[in-house]
Every structure is written in structure tokens, then in C-alpha cells.
Amino acid sequence: MADVATDTEAGVARNNLDDSAPLLHMSPSQADIEIIKRDTRDPYFAVALKEFRWMSSSTFWTALALLLQSFIPFINAVSMGHLGATELAAMTLSTTCYGVVALAPSIGMMGAMETFCSNAYTASRDKTMVGVHFQR
């Protein structure tokens, strides 16, 4: 009996898990959660349609504002095009310079600060440090 090594002595760990059991717990889809949460027997398509209606009605004004905001350079280009080719070229060059010099760096900085400050808020005990990062 002393000659036979046990599994743990030989370095083999024995698990009580079944080989057919999944390694990761499978979570239900968002639609299944909504069905469970509302305690309804509606099919997936009906729940998805309700969610789509809610999302489209709540984001309509934001989408409209972004669409109208993107029309401003288009309207400027059309009105400058009526004046002449030289004026249109000057307006296009100024819009490009504005986008490269001012707009792209500011959007990049806002994206970086969004990530950095959300991490600083969740990782620190002192929540006022987010304001310090914004001021820098």
C-alpha cells in the first residue's frame, strides 16, 4: 500500500466536475431577460418591436439634431458654389483646416478624457480627483 501513490501525490488533481458540464455559465439573452422581467408570454419579435419603438421614440430628437448639424457644411458649400469656383475652393480649404486643426484634436481629447475620467472615478476612493483631471 505504501508503494502506490495517490493522485494528489502524483501531481494529478482530481475534480468532481462532470466532463459534459459547460465551463462557462451561459447567461440568457437580453430579450429573455426582458420577457422574464415583464412576466409576459410575448414572442421575441413582439418584445423586440416594443423595444425598438421605445428606443426610436426616445432618441428621435437627438438623431434629428445630429442630422441637422451635419447639414450646416453642406448648406455652406452649396451657397459658396453659387458665388464661384474660387470662393468654393476657399471655403472647402477653410473647412478642412478647421477640421484638422481644431475639431479632430478636440474630439480626440474628449474621447480620451471620457475614458480616463470614468476609470479615475471608479478606481479612486477620492471622487473629487476627477475634477482635478478635468482642470489639468
Side-chain angles (χ1 to χ4, degrees):
M1 188 130 188
D3 296 311
V4 178
T6 62
D7 288 338
T8 54
E9 290 175 355
V12 177
R14 190 175 276 209
N15 294 331
N16 291 332
L17 298 175
D18 184 18
D19 289 334
S20 64
L23 295 176
L24 299 174
H25 174 69
M26 301 298 285
S27 62
S29 68
Q30 193 67 25
D32 292 336
I33 292 172
E34 289 295 324
I35 290 172
I36 292 169
K37 189 167 57 174
R38 293 182 182 163
D39 194 29
T40 181
R41 300 286 184 223
D42 292 340
Y44 171 77
F45 183 74
V47 172
L49 189 61
K50 288 178 189 176
E51 292 292 324
F52 177 75
R53 285 181 188 153
W54 177 81
M55 288 181 69
S56 62
S57 67
S58 64
T59 60
F60 173 74
W61 294 111
T62 304
L64 182 66
L66 289 173
L67 182 68
L68 292 176
Q69 186 178 9
S70 67
F71 278 137
I72 292 172
F74 174 73
I75 293 170
N76 286 339
V78 168
S79 63
M80 286 293 161
H82 285 293
L83 293 177
T86 307
E87 291 81 3
L88 179 62
M91 194 275 313
T92 305
L93 183 63
S94 67
T95 303
T96 303
C97 289
Y98 165 71
V100 170
V101 172
L103 197 58
S106 63
I107 289 175
M109 185 61 77
M110 285 188 295
M113 287 301 291
E114 179 183 4
T115 304
F116 181 69
C117 289
S118 65
N119 287 337
Y121 183 79
T122 56
S124 69
R125 290 187 185 132
D126 186 14
K127 303 301 183 194
T128 60
M129 288 302 293
V130 176
V132 173
H133 293 309
F134 269 123
Q135 290 175 1
R136 289 183 183 169

